[in-house]
Amino acid sequence: MKMVRQRLAWVLFLVALPSYCYSEPYTYGTTGNAASVSLGWGMDSILPSIAGVDINGLLYRYTTIKDPDADMKVHVGNLHADGNGYIFRETDDWSGVAGNTIVKSFPVSNIPASSWGTGSIEVEGEGRVEDAVVIYTYRVDKCYDPQSDPSCAGYVKPMPELPEVVVYDALEDDAVVDTLEADEFQYDEDGKLILSEEEEEEDTRIEMGLTASANALTIFKAQGQDDIIMAINQQTNIAMYYNASINGGTLNDAAGLQDGTIPDNKKALRNNLAQQILHEQMVDMQYDK
């Protein structure tokens, strides 16, 4: 009886507060009471709606109300998600015994939550179930998808999304293609425009006209320069420069020396001597004398 009370207290604690703990790379937790509303439930309503959730345990408690002589069985279980039988099922036979409270727990080998279908408590025979509690324990693998966290093994740094560059191809433009295929323009293998005979004759006449005009301008320029020089010479009377006279008379030479001699410049002599001494000092410094 004492053992039953201890397990009942543990169940009530789990029901009161769904708990979580963490151990790299897993997070562990417990659900609330799956049978709090009815004796049938869906797993999506009690488990975290994330990838990488596995069920690793189940615990239930309920009280039977029945006649001691009546036959009664209680089935607790979950269907397989694909509808092929049960993924978990436990049967308690209450036939021939009085009603009472029962608590059971079961370890589960980390079965993915996606494999668990609808859960239920079913009564077979005479009697009923009250105060039902069903709790699942689970773990969450944060590295179920390695790309969800850079710390996960197998994580690959995603490549940045490159913008799509649209390259314009003129040859894929219908308007350009239609123009190129039109009879108005034709091109050879080198991409050069093919001209008609009339267009070639017209181009030839234009080229000849331009050539003649260039030659005429050249001849005109040369002839024009000669005519300009000749006209300038004709307008210039050089004789007037030869016949011109300057008034002023004659300036006679009146140079003379006092005492008949030119004395030496003593200041210049001293200056030359100072320059000679400075030069010799510079030469001595050059040869480290």
Side-chain angles (χ1 to χ4, degrees):
M1 186 65 178
K2 182 178 180 181
M3 181 64 68
V4 173
R5 290 179 178 176
Q6 289 177 346
R7 297 178 70 180
L8 179 59
W10 172 244
V11 172
L12 294 176
F13 172 74
L14 292 177
V15 173
L17 180 63
S19 60
Y20 305 89
C21 65
Y22 179 75
S23 177
E24 186 73 26
Y26 301 109
T27 299
Y28 296 85
T30 60
T31 68
N33 181 12
S36 61
V37 178
S38 67
L39 298 182
W41 58 89
M43 300 301 287
D44 293 340
S45 63
I46 60 175
L47 291 172
S49 57
I50 56 177
V53 178
D54 300 328
I55 303 297
N56 58 13
L58 183 149
L59 183 149
Y60 67 77
R61 176 193 69 85
Y62 64 85
T63 300
T64 56
I65 308 298
K66 66 179 291 289
D67 187 292
D69 297 329
D71 293 333
M72 178 182 180
K73 291 182 180 180
V74 178
H75 307 286
V76 181
N78 283 83
L79 292 171
H80 200 286
D82 60 9
N84 186 17
Y86 287 88
I87 195 170
F88 170 83
R89 186 172 174 85
E90 178 70 5
T91 299
D92 301 319
D93 191 352
W94 293 88
S95 300
V97 297
N100 203 342
T101 299
I102 188 172
V103 178
K104 285 187 176 181
S105 62
F106 304 88
V108 180
S109 301
N110 296 315
I111 301 176
S114 58
S115 299
W116 292 71
T118 302
S120 64
I121 297 177
E122 300 175 353
V123 177
E124 178 183 343
E126 298 180 3
R128 69 178 186 275
V129 170
E130 293 183 352
D131 301 327
V133 174
V134 179
I135 296 174
Y136 298 86
T137 60
Y138 62 87
R139 74 175 187 181
V140 179
D141 183 2
K142 78 168 186 177
C143 293
Y144 175 80
D145 178 6
Q147 293 301 110
S148 64
D149 194 311
S151 64
C152 294
Y155 174 82
V156 179
K157 187 175 182 180
M159 293 292 294
E161 294 185 4
L162 299 178
E164 182 180 357
V165 179
V166 179
V167 180
Y168 174 74
D169 187 353
L171 296 180
E172 294 181 356
D173 191 324
D174 294 338
V176 176
V177 173
D178 293 342
T179 302
L180 294 177
E181 292 179 352
D183 294 337
E184 183 177 356
F185 300 101
Q186 295 182 357
Y187 299 85
D188 58 17
E189 296 179 353
D190 297 330
K192 296 181 179 180
L193 181 64
I194 300 176
L195 301 176
S196 63
E197 294 182 358
E198 294 180 356
E199 291 174 334
E200 291 181 352
E201 291 179 358
E202 180 67 20
D203 289 346
T204 301
R205 287 196 297 271
I206 293 174
E207 291 177 357
M208 293 179 63
L210 293 174
T211 303
S213 298
N215 292 335
L217 288 173
T218 302
I219 295 172
F220 173 77
K221 288 181 180 179
Q223 182 65 30
Q225 290 177 356
D226 294 341
D227 293 341
I228 292 173
I229 293 173
M230 183 176 294
I232 293 174
N233 291 335
Q234 290 178 353
Q235 295 298 324
T236 302
N237 185 5
I238 300 177
M240 61 181 294
Y241 295 101
Y242 292 105
N243 298 327
S245 60
I246 300 175
N247 297 325
T250 302
L251 179 62
N252 296 322
D253 186 7
L257 294 176
Q258 186 178 359
D259 299 332
T261 61
I262 300 176
D264 294 333
N265 189 343
K266 296 181 179 181
K267 292 183 179 180
L269 181 61
R270 287 196 299 271
N271 186 41
N272 290 337
L273 181 60
Q275 292 292 333
Q276 180 63 29
I277 293 173
L278 180 60
H279 174 71
E280 292 178 357
Q281 290 177 350
M282 292 175 63
V283 173
D284 292 342
M285 291 174 62
Q286 181 178 0
Y287 292 99
D288 296 330
K289 292 182 178 180

